[in-house]
Amino acid sequence: QVQLVESGGGSAQAGGSLRLSCAASGATYGSACMAWFRQAPGKERDGVAFIFRATGATGYPDSVKGRFTISQAKAKNTVYLQMNSLKLEDTAMYYCAAGGCGLGQLNYHYWGQGTQVTVSS
């Protein structure tokens, strides 16, 4: 089993930056990828980034490409989401996930509790 603990959420102005962190523990070797998802009120939960733990290869949807970057620590027990050039539309609850790969939520088996990101102006 994998446990995920998120941190780094908060408020930022449009054009600003935030960095989210996800600390993973347990049987993380069973998860090929880790990912970040977000969900705004009344909307579906959408993937914003994923990373292959073995190689460091990453993937993003067009909505965040060039603005968000997912990365992992050398020990691969912590994953980050660097968010730059934030837009009002980025306001959402952000979730860390582990298990499969890609940007679909059904690919993942383990989830963090979620951390709120609010962009103003």
Side-chain angles (χ1 to χ4, degrees), residues 26-105:
T28 58
Y29 51 81
S31 298
C33 290
M34 295 187 68
W36 288 95
F37 288 75
R38 68 185 181 187
Q39 186 170 23
K43 295 190 174 183
E44 298 293 319
R45 186 175 298 185
D46 295 324
V48 298
F50 70 91
I51 184 167
F52 288 88
R53 297 177 66 241
T55 67
T58 59
Y60 308 89
D62 290 341
S63 58
V64 308
K65 204 163 196 173
R67 300 188 299 118
F68 290 10
T69 303
I70 188 171
S71 61
Q72 63 184 354
K74 282 187 175 293
K76 300 175 182 176
N77 61 343
T78 304
V79 174
Y80 307 97
L81 184 68
Q82 179 67 46
M83 303 183 292
N84 297 328
S85 302
L86 284 164
K87 303 176 178 180
L88 294 179
E89 310 90 82
D90 296 322
T91 295
M93 187 73 73
Y94 282 71
Y95 299 89
C96 181
C101 297
L103 297 173
Q105 62 178 325

Side-chain angles (χ1 to χ4, degrees), residues 3-19:
Q3 297 81 43
L4 305 174
V5 180
E6 300 161 332
S7 61
S11 299
Q13 292 190 338
S17 298
L18 284 173
R19 189 183 76 158

